[in-house]
Amino acid sequence: MTRRDDAPRRTRPDFLSRDERFRSVPSTNDIVRAWLTEGTPEVCLAVADEQTAGRGRSGRSWVAPSGTALLLSLGFWPAYLEPDRLWRLAAIVALAMADAAEEVAGLPMGKLRLKWPNDIVVEAPRAPGGIRKVAGVLGESEGAGTADVTAVVGIGINNNWRRNEFPADLTDVMTSLREVSRGREVETETLLDAFLVRLEPRLLALRDGHFDVAGWHDRQVTTGRGIQIELPDGEILAARAVGVDGATGALLIEEEGGSERELLAGEVVHVRLAPDAEAAGPTTSAAGAADPAAAPGAAAAEAVSGGGGVTN
Ligand code: BTN
């Protein structure tokens, strides 16, 4: 673990209790988890230039060349949230980052979408599945339902990664803010500051019992589209995404035959755009993967994550 003492000095926003910058760590989620275990109050923030064991959803790894992505984790003591609302922490992180990234990269509002529940993606008609992923979110909680509940939400967003630097197996499914904005450099510190400014009001609202259901709903890229959902037993479910449930965090689908169903994160491994919907127009999809939630720890992670996610 290498600390960065030469990082540009920022004024720490009031809502942060601890804010540290690292050159290289195994995983920022693990740093923040350790801080919470020591009793560090919310909100603690670890930012790294590089991770040597970055983690994505479903036990996958998360990789990004040093300095090309903003990699951070936030630690919370969310006793103010009911256990079935913990997913909202990951949602506000994704929403605040999408807002910040559009501003800093000079993108039109709404250009960045959420792929249920928390991937930040951009529509890319020529990509397989019709989207490319810009950022992924990993939420992990402990002690849900107790007064000592803690949660870590990590996000990795590709800001300055150039297309020719992506590993071959990722060029089709991943992209970066630099690519989306046609070459504009997106400075990591500027993006971090813009993110924190947008996260604070969303967190204060959450503590007061308010969540931006409309904003979360509007950013969803799958709504109204045909999708294919991979379930933990390997079954592929063809359905139409109807929307998302702002109370439970579920993906709302209509199955063939017209029956409606709600899917929680732990019930889904992958969501993809159905090939016919892809051909039909501008769109969506997903290279997504959710945790199997086979173990209590995995279920806890789902409580924060809420749903799918792809990994670099
Ligand atoms: C996914 O889409 O699979 C989630 C990826 C989450 C990656 C971030 S990078 C910062 C934080 N530290 C980690 O080890 N993972 C998250």
Side-chain angles (χ1 to χ4, degrees), residues 1-266:
M1 175 166 101
T2 329
R3 276 203 165 68
R4 254 193 82 167
D5 299 323
D6 61 337
R9 291 191 68 81
R10 289 180 290 115
T11 309
R12 176 192 295 164
D14 286 344
F15 76 107
L16 294 180
S17 61
R18 184 170 180 173
D19 171 10
E20 291 188 28
R21 186 71 191 256
F22 299 89
R23 192 174 298 285
S24 181
V25 293
S27 160
T28 52
N29 266 37
D30 294 344
I31 299 287
V32 167
R33 167 56 56 201
W35 290 350
L36 292 173
T37 303
E38 288 166 7
T40 306
E42 78 168 27
V43 176
C44 43
L45 167 70
V47 183
D49 293 343
E50 176 186 56
Q51 296 182 121
T52 52
R55 291 188 284 111
R57 298 175 56 79
S58 302
R60 300 181 189 203
S61 60
W62 181 269
V63 295
S66 179
T68 64
L70 171 58
L71 308 166
L72 66 87
S73 298
L74 297 142
F76 302 93
W77 291 82
Y80 45 84
L81 288 175
E82 293 297 323
D84 61 354
R85 299 288 186 277
L86 288 177
W87 62 271
R88 288 180 170 179
L89 287 170
I92 64 167
V93 166
L95 285 169
M97 188 61 86
D99 290 346
E102 283 174 352
E103 165 76 26
V104 173
L107 300 172
M109 263 173 62
K111 173 83 177 171
L112 298 176
R113 315 293 303 278
L114 294 187
K115 199 275 294 173
W116 180 80
N118 297 312
D119 284 355
I120 300 178
V121 301
V122 63
E123 299 200 38
R126 278 177 295 181
I131 58 166
R132 288 199 177 99
K133 178 164 165 171
V134 176
V137 175
L138 177 65
E140 299 170 308
S141 67
E142 285 184 9
T146 74
D148 293 327
V149 56
T150 54
V152 177
V153 179
I155 183 166
I157 178 162
N158 302 326
N159 53 326
N160 274 324
W161 209 347
R162 290 187 175 88
R163 187 163 172 76
N164 61 7
E165 295 168 334
F166 280 74
D169 56 329
L170 296 182
T171 43
D172 274 349
V173 292
M174 302 296 298
T175 190
S176 69
L177 295 176
R178 187 178 195 133
E179 292 296 325
V180 176
S181 62
R182 297 176 191 274
R184 178 167 166 157
E185 188 178 353
V186 177
E187 218 263 313
T188 304
E189 295 302 320
T190 309
L191 180 60
L192 174 60
D193 288 346
F195 164 68
L196 293 172
V197 163
R198 285 159 181 80
L199 181 65
E200 182 170 15
R202 290 186 180 275
L203 178 63
L204 297 182
L206 212 54
R207 288 176 181 158
D208 280 345
H210 305 296
F211 173 67
D212 179 13
V213 173
W216 187 60
H217 184 272
D218 289 351
R219 284 229 186 237
Q220 299 296 324
V221 73
T222 47
T223 303
R225 309 262 170 92
I227 55 172
Q228 292 175 338
I229 303 154
E230 185 181 337
L231 302 176
D233 65 1
E235 185 193 345
I236 306 290
L237 197 64
R240 195 173 68 89
V242 178
V244 286
D245 186 326
T248 64
L251 177 66
L252 306 177
I253 62 164
E254 186 181 281
E255 292 185 75
E256 282 170 4
S259 58
E260 295 204 355
R261 182 166 164 187
E262 291 199 9
L263 289 168
L264 292 171

